Amino acid sequence: MQTNLDTTSCLIRDLCPSGAATRVVLLAPDSSPAEIPLDRLPVTIGRGSEADFRLLDRWASRLHCVLDRRDGQVVVRDLGSSNGTLVNGSYVREAVLLPNDRLTVGMTTFLISSP
C-alpha cells in the first residue's frame, strides 16, 4: 500500500515484535501530526510513485531510503539518493535509528521517538 506524504506533518508508527513501538515523526511548523501505522518493514521513502511513502519534496530522490528492522532495531539505509540521507546532520549510508535521532530525507526531517 502506498501513502503520499507532503511536508505537512505525519507520524509513522512501527510496532516492533517485542511490543515496543518506534515512532518516526515528520517535523513541520504550524501543523499537528497524523498517524500512519506500519504493518511491516521494509518501507521505502521517496518522491517517486514506486516509494511506499511518497514525499512531495523535490530534494528527495524517487527512491531515497528504506526503513528496515534488523536485530530488533529500526535501521535506515540510503538507496543511492542524489542529496544523501542524514541522521543527526551527518550523511549516512546506513544507520540504526534511536530515540531523539533526526532523520533527514531531502528537505524533510523526521524525529525518531518512543511512544
Side-chain angles (χ1 to χ4, degrees):
M1 169 175 46
Q2 183 187 57
T3 302
N4 292 330
L5 303 176
D6 62 20
T7 52
T8 57
S9 160
C10 71
L11 173 79
I12 301 171
R13 173 171 235 163
D14 167 36
L15 295 176
C16 299
S18 65
T22 298
R23 299 188 322 174
V24 182
V25 180
L26 176 61
L27 299 178
D30 305 325
S31 59
S32 56
E35 188 168 323
I36 300 170
L38 297 178
D39 55 356
R40 63 184 173 171
L41 291 176
V43 172
T44 55
I45 297 173
R47 67 175 166 80
S49 60
E50 61 275 20
D52 297 317
F53 289 95
R54 186 172 179 219
L55 298 175
L56 301 178
D57 178 340
R58 70 186 188 114
W59 297 99
S61 293
R62 287 181 189 95
L63 281 176
H64 197 101
C65 65
V66 62
L67 296 177
D68 206 349
R69 186 178 298 119
R70 186 179 312 132
D71 299 324
Q73 296 179 309
V74 177
V75 176
V76 63
R77 182 171 41 92
D78 186 83
L79 296 174
S81 65
S82 297
N83 295 308
T85 299
L86 289 81
V87 175
N88 299 324
S90 297
Y91 289 96
V92 298
R93 288 189 181 177
E94 184 172 294
V96 172
L97 296 175
L98 302 172
N100 299 315
D101 281 348
R102 289 177 186 257
L103 169 65
T104 303
V105 176
M107 297 296 288
T108 304
T109 299
F110 300 87
L111 175 66
I112 312 307
S113 68
S114 297

